[in-house]
Amino acid sequence: MLSLRRLREQAIEGFIFLNALLGVAVLVGIMLLLLREGLPLFRDYSFIDFITGTHWYPVSEPPTFGMLPSFTATLWVTGGAIAIALPIGVLSAVFLSEVAPPWLRDVLKPLIELISGVPSIVIGFIGLLVLAPFIADALNLNTGLTGLTAAIMLAFMSLPLIISISDDALQAVPDEYREGAYALGATKWQTVWFVLIPAAFSGVTASVMLGIGRAVGETMTVLMVAGGALKIQHSIAEPMRPMTATIAAEINNAVQGGLQYRALFATGIVLFILTFIVNLIADIVLERQKRKFQR
Amino acid sequence: MSTLAGSRREVFARRWIQIAGFSLAGLATAAVIAPVIWVVADIFVRGHSAITWDFLTQDPARQGKEGGIFPVIVGTFYLMIGTLIFAVPVGLQAAIYLSEYARPGRLLRLINLSIVNLAGVPSIVYGLFGLSLFVFTLNLKTSILAASLTLACQALALIITSSREAMVAVPREWREGALALGASRWQTTRHVVLPRAMPGILTGIMLAIGRAAGETAPILAVGVAFQLGKLPNSPDDQFLALPYHLYAIAIQVPGMPESRMWATALVLLAVVLAFNLGGIILRIYYGRRRQS
């Protein structure tokens, strides 16, 4: 009787364990399939040309697959988004954590969370119909569909992440830090600036990393509002097409197993590696932050 | 720091720096919140007049310029059900393992690391994965099934993380009490931990399903349709979906009346935010009750 129960327990544990492994399997599966579909590109097309090529003409004869235009567009758009989101995000986290009274915090936190619930297609739609005409007017451009437009929308999308994780980091700083600073005669602002933000620095860094990850991987918004030009641009206020948008724009026209199909998967590999590194750094930094105040 | 307690003038200056600094922080917060409220209000104002009974219950005609969006709503509904069916059992069991069974060690770290990274994989990469695995390798073609499986893979990380958090938050004493009464580990999990963690788990599931309803890039890659003659009546059928429909009518169809785009955006936003709001309210409600 007892052994039967034990058997049952072990069967359940084994089954549950398999499900946990499925999480690993999906990640490994993504990696393997990207490699399987993407790597054969380099049998027919030089790896160097792919990485350093400045022209992406998938349907010309012969086709060229230089990913630099997409890659630089991703850098522009992500850099722009973080430049906007970092100061606003950290200041908002300071406001939520150190200034706002509890009732206001209780109202604002769910509202900020709600932003991350708005689908990227809706954000892209707003960018297309509202922000793009405004940008074109304000900067006197021919088109409002530029890297800048995309960067503003992406900043908006990565803000919830940056705010909530920076806020967590500030909240995790023990009150002794605040009390010590006040005892030395520091004002509340001085405490925030010279004590709390340095103490929460790794949490803030992690939040920015996750924000970068979100901006790099965002697809629909960028596809709709970045302009789609496949040229290496020297200003953020030009139309461009980041890597995600390139994949999304062409995947339906690519023939399975063809060169273009493989080149899009190869772009996917680059994208995967980029976000993997960024998330890994964020995870390591977050772990360190957690341990810092653990007693 | 030696000037911290300085002259009267310094005290005055410090006071103003503080006021300026905190005002800036308040402004930044307003700059985050105001656009959301404005965007949601704008979509409602511009979209609601085009939402009629016919718009919600009829088939699209002339590339969506006329008629309604009924099959599009149905498609999104099926996708949400499909994601639920595939992602929740796996995600919940994985979370149970991580929270109740796993012992610290290399394997646990590997699983945790995978889940963290799974959450960061770009949506279009999930699309490539789904296209290659479900559509081509498993030969499911462009179907509700293939799209649901892709979305389920994407939802997995969120469901595991939130369910595990909810279970870890259950006090240790509850488990110890059950174990002391002679309950097995599974009985403890099933009858003590899970019921207590259920609100948190449901919140996570609602957020995940809401997100799946709004995802565009994965189903675009897997191959959602834009125009279809009939409603899908089996999982192998092609389908329409709200987010892609919005993309198509906003980008690809010239001469589309703007009010129809806003109305479609409104319907999508309403579906997605209903799930998000539901999740958030559930959490706040149970969070309050637990404190008292």
Side-chain angles (χ1 to χ4, degrees):
Chain A
M1 188 63 199
L2 196 68
S3 70
L4 197 70
R5 184 175 143 178
R6 198 144 153 210
L7 207 68
R8 196 176 99 102
E9 284 289 314
Q10 265 168 1
I12 289 173
E13 177 167 353
F15 188 69
I16 289 175
F17 175 63
L18 284 182
N19 279 293
L21 279 189
L22 212 59
V24 184
V26 172
L27 189 72
V28 173
I30 291 175
M31 270 192 280
L32 288 181
L33 280 172
L34 285 179
L35 292 175
R36 190 190 77 183
E37 305 284 351
L39 282 186
L41 172 72
F42 305 120
R43 278 203 303 249
D44 306 309
Y45 195 82
S46 135
F47 177 70
I48 302 293
D49 287 351
F50 175 71
I51 292 291
T52 62
T54 56
H55 296 286
W56 179 281
Y57 299 132
V59 286
S60 65
E61 223 22 83
T64 52
F65 301 102
M67 60 158 285
L68 264 192
S70 292
F71 190 77
T72 47
T74 293
L75 293 186
W76 269 124
V77 169
T78 308
I82 294 305
I84 300 167
L86 175 63
I88 297 181
V90 174
L91 277 170
S92 302
V94 166
F95 182 80
L96 282 179
S97 168
E98 307 299 321
V99 186
W103 65 266
L104 188 60
R105 193 185 148 81
D106 283 353
V107 174
L108 291 180
K109 279 213 90 166
L111 266 178
I112 289 172
E113 225 172 301
L114 214 56
I115 305 177
S116 58
V118 178
S120 62
I121 183 81
V122 173
I123 305 235
F125 178 70
I126 295 289
L128 188 70
L129 263 66
V130 180
L131 185 66
F134 175 78
I135 293 269
D137 260 5
L139 301 181
N140 217 351
L141 301 169
N142 293 329
T143 168
L145 300 177
T146 66
L148 179 65
T149 322
I152 293 173
M153 290 330 249
L154 287 186
F156 195 58
M157 299 175 82
S158 43
L159 270 168
L161 260 177
I162 295 185
I163 295 175
S164 75
I165 292 173
S166 298
D167 174 59
D168 286 346
L170 286 170
Q171 294 270 305
V173 178
D175 275 340
E176 286 88 341
Y177 280 55
R178 297 182 180 80
E179 287 154 9
Y182 297 152
L184 287 170
T187 62
K188 206 169 175 188
W189 175 252
Q190 284 171 323
T191 308
V192 167
W193 196 245
F194 295 110
V195 177
L196 298 182
I197 291 184
F201 188 75
S202 35
V204 175
T205 312
S207 78
V208 173
M209 281 296 155
L210 291 173
I212 291 176
R214 175 102 206 240
V216 167
E218 187 42 60
T219 310
M220 295 319 287
T221 306
V222 154
L223 177 64
M224 290 173 90
V225 305
L230 271 173
K231 230 176 91 185
I232 295 182
Q233 300 290 15
H234 300 283
S235 152
I236 193 171
E238 302 273 354
M240 49 184 75
R241 196 170 84 178
M243 293 189 286
T244 49
T246 296
I247 300 175
E250 296 184 8
I251 191 67
N252 288 331
N253 306 326
V255 185
Q256 183 202 0
L259 269 188
Q260 186 186 10
Y261 176 85
R262 303 233 177 273
L264 293 175
F265 272 84
T267 309
I269 297 174
V270 176
L271 208 54
F272 181 84
I273 294 174
L274 219 58
T275 49
F276 191 88
I277 293 173
V278 167
N279 282 293
L280 207 61
I281 297 175
D283 191 52
I284 293 168
V285 178
L286 265 184
E287 277 302 314
R288 187 178 303 167
Q289 170 91 14
K290 240 184 245 163
R291 241 175 286 139
K292 190 168 165 186
F293 299 124
Q294 230 169 40
R295 267 173 287 176
Chain B
M1 296 295 266
S2 61
T3 58
L4 268 182
S7 71
R8 204 173 218 183
R9 226 170 110 191
E10 277 166 0
V11 172
F12 190 70
R14 278 211 302 270
R15 207 183 135 81
W16 279 106
I17 290 173
Q18 162 147 327
I19 290 173
F22 284 149
S23 310
L24 205 63
L27 272 179
T29 313
V32 179
I33 302 284
V36 206
I37 296 172
W38 178 70
V39 160
V40 172
D42 201 30
I43 291 178
F44 181 78
V45 168
R46 298 209 220 182
H48 81 277
S49 59
I51 295 186
T52 57
W53 183 246
D54 284 351
F55 184 70
L56 294 176
T57 56
Q58 300 223 316
D59 286 354
R62 294 186 54 229
Q63 298 186 300
K65 279 183 217 160
E66 282 164 23
I69 56 167
F70 181 64
V72 185
I73 299 174
V74 171
T76 285
F77 180 69
Y78 284 152
L79 283 184
M80 289 162 87
I81 303 264
T83 309
L84 194 78
I85 290 174
F86 293 121
V88 170
V90 175
L92 193 55
Q93 291 184 73
I96 290 175
Y97 176 79
L98 292 173
S99 158
E100 306 300 315
Y101 286 87
R103 279 168 283 273
R106 222 181 252 164
L107 186 64
L108 179 62
R109 231 181 318 152
L110 176 73
I111 297 177
N112 277 332
L113 199 67
S114 303
I115 290 162
V116 166
N117 278 294
L118 221 44
V121 172
S123 54
I124 187 69
V125 172
Y126 275 103
L128 290 178
F129 168 71
L131 180 67
S132 155
L133 179 61
F134 301 126
V135 178
F136 292 142
T137 307
L138 298 181
N139 210 12
L140 299 177
K141 310 241 166 49
T142 302
S143 62
I144 297 176
L145 192 59
S148 305
L149 282 165
T150 308
L151 290 174
C153 288
Q154 192 177 10
L156 208 54
L158 182 60
I159 292 179
I160 295 177
T161 321
S162 56
S163 307
R164 179 180 52 186
E165 250 171 55
M167 281 188 261
V168 167
V170 175
R172 230 187 129 101
E173 290 81 2
W174 287 52
R175 296 186 184 86
E176 283 165 359
L179 291 171
L181 288 171
S184 68
R185 181 162 285 206
W186 172 246
Q187 286 170 326
T188 308
T189 306
R190 169 79 186 73
H191 297 287
V192 177
V193 179
L194 273 182
R196 171 90 194 227
M198 211 27 103
I201 294 172
L202 287 179
T203 302
I205 292 174
M206 289 188 77
L207 291 180
I209 299 300
R211 186 182 294 180
E215 278 294 350
T216 320
I219 58 172
L220 176 145
V222 172
V224 59
F226 173 47
Q227 292 179 60
L228 266 187
K230 58 179 176 47
L231 280 175
N233 45 28
S234 96
D236 306 332
D237 278 350
Q238 279 202 298
F239 61 101
L240 306 163
L242 272 171
Y244 186 73
H245 189 76
L246 175 59
Y247 172 72
I249 62 175
I251 295 276
Q252 292 174 344
V253 183
M256 176 65 59
E258 237 185 58
S259 65
R260 296 184 71 81
M261 301 187 212
W262 288 100
T264 309
L266 177 57
V267 173
L268 174 63
L269 197 65
V271 171
V272 172
L273 287 192
F275 276 84
N276 275 274
L277 262 178
I280 291 172
I281 289 170
L282 203 70
R283 193 181 50 210
I284 292 174
Y285 176 69
Y286 279 99
R288 289 251 166 80
R289 233 181 46 171
R290 193 169 300 167
Q291 271 165 16
S292 56

